[in-house]
Amino acid sequence: MKKRTKDNKNVIYWLLTGCVLLFIMVLVGGITRLTDSGLSMSNYKLIMGTIPPLNDAEWQEAFDLYKQFPEYNSYNTHFELSDFKSIYFWEWFHRVIGRFIGIVFILPFLYFLFTKQLSKPTIKKSIILLSLGAFQGFLGWYMVKSGLVKMPDVSHFRLAAHLTTAFITFAATLWVALDLIYPHRKPAVKPVKNWIVAGLIILLVQIIYGGFVAGLKAGMLHNHWPMMNEGKFMHHTVYILEPFYKNLIENPSGIQFIHRTLAYLVVIVIGVIWFVAKKFKLTLAQKYSINLLVILVVLQFVLGVFTIINQVPLWLGAAHQIGAFFLISGMTFALHRFSK
């Protein structure tokens, strides 16, 4: 019998499968948000919650439960059972994918662990990934809970935390997979690496503000580009709240302005990364990662512009979120290739 090696191809496939599932999870989560489906399931059942209503009586019971909460009474009193079923699907699908990801991470991990196919560093990294996944699941319910009390909308702070943690979990999983795909690294190209780190930090802040925009539906305002309403680069509604800091975290106009401005900054930083990288002799993977970043940031910027000027239609909103996902993937790959 052939002896199993540690950190073999099967382990890499497992991690990459996790990346794909996390991508699907974020995509479905975006659709769930854009269709206002996130509060359709008003309770949390870890096991039984995977089974949707199977007959008319169960559907009516779920609908009656939904009617007890603020979203129905504030926005959706006109809903019939058929309307409820359409929003229920996306939240149910989102939760089922989350549970499936948990199974896909835990069971293979235990198998690889007991069959001694994981090195000690990979075991430690995998435990961190599992912890991130568990925390992500908790944040999901914590977010939904905020919309079931008084306000008929989830907290945009909790939404941003849930979204950002999903991106971080994906990036961390991809990083561990890259560690195994590229076990031997060359010396780091420090000037390029430093700019990539700066770009990644700015991108994470941009993702947080993307969550704020989604949570406050700020994309429905100022649907012009490159200026905001009335041909102004900074509309006066950006700074109307007192004290001023509230405009940075609670004012939809202010949040949209920051999200717009950060988009320019992300483009500029990636442009600098490309310019600085040209001064060094790079490996093929390093060249590929930089060129990929440039392509992805241009596509994402264009998607952002079309999303805002069209008032966030479902397909463009989802595409913009996918673009952010690909961009953080590219940043993670580039950072890995330029790190020691």
Side-chain angles (χ1 to χ4, degrees):
M1 184 177 178
K2 187 177 179 180
K3 184 180 178 181
R4 294 187 178 97
T5 58
K6 292 186 183 294
D7 298 341
N8 55 48
K9 286 185 178 180
N10 290 333
V11 177
I12 295 172
Y13 294 150
W14 164 58
L15 291 166
L16 292 178
T17 299
C19 289
V20 172
L21 289 173
L22 285 166
F23 165 75
I24 296 171
M25 178 78 167
V26 170
L27 172 60
V28 173
I31 295 173
T32 301
R33 179 61 194 168
L34 289 165
T35 55
D36 291 321
S37 303
L39 297 176
S40 57
M41 294 180 70
S42 310
N43 55 16
Y44 184 83
K45 296 178 181 178
L46 182 61
I47 305 301
M48 296 307 294
T50 59
I51 304 172
L54 300 176
N55 53 52
D56 291 342
E58 290 181 359
W59 273 114
Q60 190 60 52
E61 182 182 353
F63 190 28
D64 289 341
L65 179 63
Y66 175 68
K67 290 179 180 179
Q68 298 175 27
F69 293 93
E71 183 177 74
Y72 174 81
N73 294 303
S74 298
Y75 296 144
N76 295 331
T77 52
H78 62 285
F79 263 30
E80 301 291 339
L81 183 58
S82 59
D83 301 309
F84 172 69
K85 286 181 178 181
S86 66
I87 64 170
Y88 186 97
F89 167 77
W90 286 112
E91 176 63 11
W92 170 81
F93 191 34
H94 187 53
R95 294 191 188 191
V96 167
I97 294 172
R99 290 173 173 86
F100 184 63
I101 290 174
I103 293 170
V104 168
F105 265 94
I106 293 171
L107 294 185
F109 170 70
L110 293 175
Y111 171 76
F112 291 135
L113 184 65
F114 290 132
T115 55
K116 302 185 187 306
Q117 296 185 57
L118 301 174
S119 64
K120 286 185 178 179
T122 303
I123 291 172
K124 293 177 182 178
K125 294 172 188 175
S126 298
I127 290 172
I128 292 172
L129 295 180
L130 289 167
S131 300
L132 281 171
F135 183 57
Q136 170 69 0
F138 162 75
L139 282 176
W141 174 241
Y142 185 61
M143 175 189 69
V144 169
K145 191 176 178 182
S146 67
L148 300 177
V149 186
K150 295 180 180 180
M151 299 297 292
D153 294 294
V154 299
S155 161
H156 66 288
F157 296 115
R158 298 187 191 186
L159 172 63
H162 184 52
L163 177 66
T164 307
T165 305
F167 276 85
I168 291 172
T169 303
F170 167 83
T173 305
L174 179 59
W175 187 275
V176 177
L178 290 171
D179 277 345
L180 304 186
I181 295 169
Y182 299 101
H184 306 293
R185 298 193 211 173
K186 294 185 176 182
V189 184
K190 200 166 183 181
V192 182
K193 177 187 174 183
N194 290 343
W195 276 106
I196 295 173
V197 170
L200 190 55
I201 291 170
I202 295 168
L203 182 59
L204 284 172
V205 175
Q206 175 70 319
I207 289 168
I208 291 170
Y209 269 90
F212 288 170
V213 169
L216 293 175
K217 298 182 179 178
M220 301 300 178
L221 307 171
H222 309 294
N223 301 112
H224 308 277
W225 187 85
M227 301 299 177
M228 300 180 84
N229 284 7
E230 300 169 14
K232 297 178 180 178
F233 179 73
M234 181 188 289
H235 194 259
H236 66 88
T237 54
V238 168
Y239 44 86
I240 58 174
L241 296 186
E242 295 289 345
F244 178 78
Y245 79 88
K246 287 191 174 182
N247 293 293
L248 308 179
I249 56 175
E250 294 182 9
N251 178 0
S253 289
I255 284 169
Q256 195 204 102
F257 175 76
I258 293 171
H259 194 55
R260 282 172 174 252
T261 306
L262 284 173
Y264 292 113
L265 188 56
V266 171
V267 172
I268 291 169
V269 170
I270 290 179
V272 172
I273 292 169
W274 175 81
F275 180 77
V276 173
K278 285 180 67 178
K279 299 178 181 179
F280 297 89
K281 186 177 180 180
L282 306 178
T283 66
L284 187 62
Q286 288 171 335
K287 289 179 182 177
Y288 173 77
S289 69
I290 298 299
N291 291 335
L292 182 63
L293 272 183
V294 173
I295 294 169
L296 288 174
V297 78
V298 170
L299 287 174
Q300 177 64 348
F301 188 88
V302 171
L303 278 172
V305 170
F306 277 97
T307 300
I308 196 69
I309 64 177
N310 287 285
Q311 292 190 307
V312 200
L314 175 60
W315 73 273
L316 268 176
H320 188 49
Q321 187 157 302
I322 291 171
F325 207 94
F326 283 136
L327 189 53
I328 202 167
S329 303
M331 281 290 220
T332 303
F333 178 59
L335 181 59
H336 194 276
R337 291 296 76 223
F338 282 90
S339 298
K340 196 170 184 178

